């Protein structure tokens, strides 16, 4: 029996194994993986019109990485599992939707990439990272975009896996497909 606390409400759920518990967390507590990717794709398509890109394929892939990276602080997320021990350490040391869901974290990561790899990679990562923050700011759990410097929070009405998120996914797909006309 696990005790789960969600925004001032407490309830109990029985899980037979950890995989079912992780599946529950992934489905109901965090904005869905594909929604973050779609937001990243849409922002990439918008940026492509305004930025001179050296290598658009690599830029695109770095945007996608940035769009899922903030969830590295959630032990059951795909990015945390994919990064192995690094993801385990980060999810142990940082609470989910804390520092790794803030503009200062995205800015630091973008600056590191800029410094060691190049400006376009830093911009691409920060763009994807910002797409992720935008998505999570639309949920009731929200984000603290200026953490750790401020506890100010942005929240929205979209419940993970709910009808509004599915509607958002549909709108994102339509907006992306419109770019190919």
């Amino acid at each position: 029996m696990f005790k789960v606390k969600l925004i001032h409400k407490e309830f109990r759920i029985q899980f037979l194994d950890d995989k079912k518990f992780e599946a529950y967390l992934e489905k109901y507590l965090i904005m869905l993986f594909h929604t973050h990717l779609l937001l990243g794709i849409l922002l990439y398509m918008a940026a492509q019109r305004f930025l001179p890109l050296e290598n658009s394929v690599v830029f695109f892939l770095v945007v996608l990485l940035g769009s899922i990276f903030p969830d590295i602080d959630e032990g059951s997320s795909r990015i945390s599992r994919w990064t192995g021990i690094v993801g385990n350490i980060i999810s142990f040391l940082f609470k989910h939707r804390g520092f790794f869901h803030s503009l200062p974290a995205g800015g630091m990561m973008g600056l590191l990439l800029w410094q060691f790899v190049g400006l376009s990679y830093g911009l691409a990562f920060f763009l994807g990272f910002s797409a992720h923050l935008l998505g999570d700011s639309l949920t009731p759990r929200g984000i603290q975009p200026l953490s750790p410097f401020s506890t100010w929070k942005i929240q929205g009405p979209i419940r993970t896996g709910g009808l509004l998120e599915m509607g958002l996914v549909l709108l994102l797909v339509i907006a992306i497909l419109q770019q190919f006309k």
Side-chain angles (χ1 to χ4, degrees):
M1 187 76 74
F2 291 96
K3 187 177 181 182
V4 180
K5 188 172 183 179
L6 289 174
I7 312 173
H8 310 319
K9 294 181 182 176
E10 229 176 82
F11 58 94
R12 295 178 186 273
I13 304 169
Q14 184 174 0
F15 293 95
L16 300 176
D17 60 31
D18 286 340
K19 287 187 180 189
K20 287 186 179 180
F21 183 62
E22 287 177 7
Y24 175 84
L25 283 175
E26 194 166 306
K27 183 173 182 184
Y28 295 106
L29 299 185
I30 56 177
M31 185 159 271
L32 297 175
F33 179 78
H34 58 269
T35 308
H36 288 305
L37 289 175
L38 289 170
L39 282 166
I41 291 168
L42 190 63
L43 285 183
Y44 162 78
M45 294 176 104
Q48 190 178 22
R49 293 176 179 224
F50 302 105
L51 297 173
L53 303 179
E54 299 164 16
N55 185 338
S56 61
V57 173
V58 174
F59 190 92
F60 176 71
L61 294 174
V62 175
V63 168
L64 291 182
L65 174 64
S67 74
I68 59 171
F69 189 83
D71 280 336
I72 198 165
D73 62 8
E74 171 55 58
S76 66
S77 71
R78 290 180 188 179
I79 187 73
S80 183
R81 292 191 312 254
W82 292 343
T83 55
I85 189 136
V86 172
N88 290 339
I89 291 169
I90 290 173
S91 65
F92 177 77
L93 294 175
F94 295 90
K95 70 176 187 153
H96 184 53
R97 293 208 184 173
F99 178 68
F100 279 92
H101 279 72
S102 71
L103 291 170
M108 286 174 39
M109 301 293 285
L111 286 173
L112 283 172
L113 281 171
W114 175 14
Q115 198 65 25
F116 294 105
V117 186
L119 176 61
S120 63
Y121 300 104
L123 286 173
F125 187 85
F126 187 73
L127 186 67
F129 198 95
S130 299
H132 186 103
L133 297 185
L134 174 65
D136 281 355
S137 72
L138 299 174
T139 67
R141 191 167 172 198
I143 61 164
Q144 293 177 341
L146 302 175
S147 177
F149 306 110
S150 171
T151 57
W152 175 63
K153 193 173 200 173
I154 301 174
Q155 297 170 278
I158 299 179
R159 297 216 177 271
T160 303
L163 287 175
L164 285 177
E165 184 174 8
M166 294 307 117
L168 175 63
V169 166
L170 181 62
L171 288 173
L172 289 170
V173 169
I174 290 169
I176 291 167
L177 291 176
Q178 288 294 319
Q179 301 298 312
F180 293 107
K181 280 189 164 184

